[in-house]
């Protein structure tokens, strides 16, 4: 919570749930990443928060952009990014979308199988491709395993196939899992990447880039290492596995760039119990999973929740959203301690919500409008 956000909420008093993002925090975060990993290019993950103001700020600062769709590519271009600063980083693309990106000047594409390589070869001849490999994501609060990537042994064949089809097989990518608290998580993946580099070099294909992905965390309820700690660990792992032949590297921070820049203001709609002797209260907010808090699924991301009554005695509460869907429960397995004096109509502030909230907000599910966003 910054003073600027606090003043905005006090002076504007916006109606209904909303997200407020402080650009000063985003600017500080970008500069922190640039200092911690000075030899890596920053490709901001647009999906984390595609607000035009956020994208323009980052474009002006020199950031590149990781895009998951043609729509996101257009957003990055509109913000001032040139095509050479954009990666089509989704491994699951329609061929006509690859062609649309190529027509816009995009030349860097992610793949993780031969079939995707063939689509890129047809729709984007001569483009650069990097192959995503599987990563176990141990320790990550929001794992990204299984759906994306292939085993390292398969990646060799995928990149050979790309080379044969006239594409520029340029590198390897991986993702250690979103909200990764372990700075050493990159070590094993970089060991696999280095082995692929050596194998393909022996076969006449010289890779030159490693996409280190995202994973850099936002502080929620637990302490997290500093970005410079991640930078040191990654630099050490690169030297360990690549020696003096360090490849080009890029990073794709999303949550780590904007997560702590945003606060969601919400309101208590109802407080009740399921039985007279139940020690746990149910607190229903005017925002839930379908209103932007989808990452509370399986209680993976536990946001800090603040109220004006935090100095009062507290008791355990289940926290739920307002929709007529039984899945719209945020925290039940591990209830939150909230003030006993909390009342219907009270305002609550949900911190660390600058990433993956507006983009997860449903369009009028149960008639509730999508999460409004203010960028200051």
């Amino acid at each position: 919570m910054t003073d600027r956000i606090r003043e905005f909420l006090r002076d504007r008093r916006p109606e209904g749930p909303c997200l407020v993002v402080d650009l000063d925090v985003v600017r500080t975060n970008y500069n922190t990443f640039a200092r911690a990993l000075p030899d890596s290019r920053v490709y901001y993950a647009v999906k984390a928060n595609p607000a035009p103001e956020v994208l323009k700020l980052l474009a002006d600062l020199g950031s590149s952009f990781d895009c998951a769709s043609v729509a996101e590519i257009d957003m990055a271009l509109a913000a001032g990014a040139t095509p050479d600063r954009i990666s089509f980083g989704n491994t699951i693309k329609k061929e006509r979308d690859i062609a649309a990106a190529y027509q816009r000047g995009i030349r860097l594409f992610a793949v993780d199988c031969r079939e995707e390589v063939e689509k890129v070869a047809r729709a984007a001849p001569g483009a650069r491709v990097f192959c995503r490999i599987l990563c176990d994501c141990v320790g990550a609060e929001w794992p990204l395993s299984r759906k994306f990537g292939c085993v390292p042994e398969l990646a060799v064949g995928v990149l050979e196939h790309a080379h044969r089809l006239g594409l520029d097989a340029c590198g390897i990518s991986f993702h250690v899992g979103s909200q990764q608290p372990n700075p050493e998580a990159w070590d094993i993946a970089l060991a696999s990447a280095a082995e692929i580099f050596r194998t393909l070099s022996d076969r006449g294909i010289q890779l030159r880039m490693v996409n280190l992905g995202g994973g850099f965390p936002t502080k929620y309820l637990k302490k997290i290492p500093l970005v410079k700690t991640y930078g040191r660990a990654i630099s050490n792992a690169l030297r360990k596995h690549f020696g003096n032949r360090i490849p080009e590297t890029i990073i794709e921070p999303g949550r780590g760039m904007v997560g702590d820049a945003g606060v969601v203001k919400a309101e208590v709609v109802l407080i009740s119990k399921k039985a007279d002797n139940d020690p746990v209260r149910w607190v229903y907010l005017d925002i839930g999973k379908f209103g932007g808090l989808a990452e509370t699924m399986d209680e993976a991301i536990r946001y800090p929740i603040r109220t004006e009554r935090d100095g009062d005695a507290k008791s355990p509460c289940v926290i739920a959203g307002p929709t007529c869907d039984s899945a719209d429960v945020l925290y039940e397995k591990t209830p939150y301690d909230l003030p006993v004096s909390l009342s219907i109509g009270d305002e609550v502030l949900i911190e660390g919500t600058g990433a993956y909230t507006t983009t997860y907000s449903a369009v009028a599910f149960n008639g509730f409008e999508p999460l409004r966003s203010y960028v200051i």
Side-chain angles (χ1 to χ4, degrees), residues 10 28 57 71 74 79 99 106 129 163 166 175 183 226 245 287 291 350 361 366 375:
R10 182 192 65 212
T28 297
L57 170 67
D74 286 341
I106 311 305
V129 295
H163 180 74
H175 201 297
L226 298 174
R245 302 183 66 180
I287 184 174
I350 308 173
S361 178
N366 275 194
V375 180

Side-chain angles (χ1 to χ4, degrees), residues 158-215:
V158 169
L159 289 169
E160 280 188 309
H161 193 49
H163 180 74
R164 284 194 297 268
L165 294 179
L167 295 171
D168 179 1
C170 70
I172 293 294
S173 76
F174 55 82
H175 201 297
V176 298
S178 192
Q179 193 67 12
Q180 175 57 259
N182 180 13
E184 305 300 325
W186 280 259
D187 182 75
I188 294 176
L190 281 169
S192 296
E195 181 62 29
I196 295 169
F197 268 59
R198 288 189 289 269
T199 300
L200 285 173
S201 178
D202 291 343
R203 300 181 188 185
I205 300 173
Q206 305 303 320
L207 303 182
R208 57 189 184 277
M209 185 269 283
V210 174
N211 180 344
L212 300 162

Side-chain angles (χ1 to χ4, degrees), residues 76-327:
L77 292 170
T82 50
D84 61 302
R85 290 162 59 187
I86 296 173
S87 164
F88 202 159
N90 192 343
T91 58
I92 307 160
K93 304 174 291 295
K94 293 179 179 177
E95 190 166 326
R96 59 180 176 271
D97 289 340
I98 297 171
Y102 189 76
Q103 189 274 331
R104 288 161 169 76
I106 311 305
R107 296 295 183 269
L108 183 60
F109 297 84
V111 298
D112 65 0
C113 62
R114 291 169 179 257
E115 292 80 2
E116 192 72 11
V117 163
E118 290 165 2
K119 286 191 286 183
V120 175
R122 289 190 296 266
R128 291 179 292 146
V129 295
F130 56 90
C131 185
R132 181 163 173 171
I133 58 174
L134 287 167
C135 194
D136 60 21
C137 300
V138 170
E141 293 184 19
W142 193 262
L144 295 168
S145 56
R146 297 297 301 162
K147 183 177 180 181
F148 312 103
C150 62
V151 297
E153 296 77 14
L154 183 59
V156 171
V158 169
L159 289 169
E160 280 188 309
H161 193 49
H163 180 74
R164 284 194 297 268
L165 294 179
L167 295 171
D168 179 1
C170 70
I172 293 294
S173 76
F174 55 82
H175 201 297
V176 298
S178 192
Q179 193 67 12
Q180 175 57 259
N182 180 13
E184 305 300 325
W186 280 259
D187 182 75
I188 294 176
L190 281 169
S192 296
E195 181 62 29
I196 295 169
F197 268 59
R198 288 189 289 269
T199 300
L200 285 173
S201 178
D202 291 343
R203 300 181 188 185
I205 300 173
Q206 305 303 320
L207 303 182
R208 57 189 184 277
M209 185 269 283
V210 174
N211 180 344
L212 300 162
F216 307 99
T218 285
K219 184 179 183 301
Y220 295 122
L221 295 178
K222 302 175 184 176
K223 289 184 178 180
I224 58 171
L226 298 174
V227 173
K228 64 182 180 182
T229 303
Y230 288 89
R232 282 197 300 267
I234 290 171
S235 295
N236 290 340
L238 281 165
R239 287 193 295 272
K240 172 182 174 182
H241 298 296
F242 286 91
N244 294 325
R245 302 183 66 180
I246 303 295
E248 302 170 22
T249 55
I250 66 177
I251 57 174
E252 296 177 344
R255 185 189 309 279
M257 187 73 78
V258 295
D260 63 349
V263 172
V264 162
K265 177 196 74 72
E267 180 182 330
V268 177
V269 178
L270 178 67
I271 302 175
S272 66
K273 290 187 175 183
K274 299 302 180 184
D276 287 339
N277 61 350
D278 193 341
V280 176
R281 294 171 295 158
W282 281 66
V283 175
Y284 299 89
L285 305 178
D286 61 354
I287 184 174
K289 285 181 178 174
F290 305 102
L293 302 181
E295 289 197 318
T296 60
M297 185 187 310
D298 297 326
E299 305 189 17
I301 302 298
R302 296 181 66 81
Y303 298 106
I305 298 175
R306 313 297 181 201
T307 80
E308 293 182 352
R309 304 173 186 266
D310 284 346
D312 297 349
K314 297 181 179 181
S315 68
C317 298
V318 172
I319 304 176
T323 64
C324 292
D325 192 307
S326 60

Side-chain angles (χ1 to χ4, degrees), residues 29-30 33-34 37 40-45 58 62-66 85 249-253 257:
N29 289 344
Y30 177 85
F33 278 113
L37 289 153
S40 295
R41 290 183 65 184
V42 175
Y43 277 70
Y44 170 64
L58 291 172
S63 181
S64 297
F65 296 89
D66 165 52
R85 290 162 59 187
T249 55
I250 66 177
I251 57 174
E252 296 177 344
M257 187 73 78

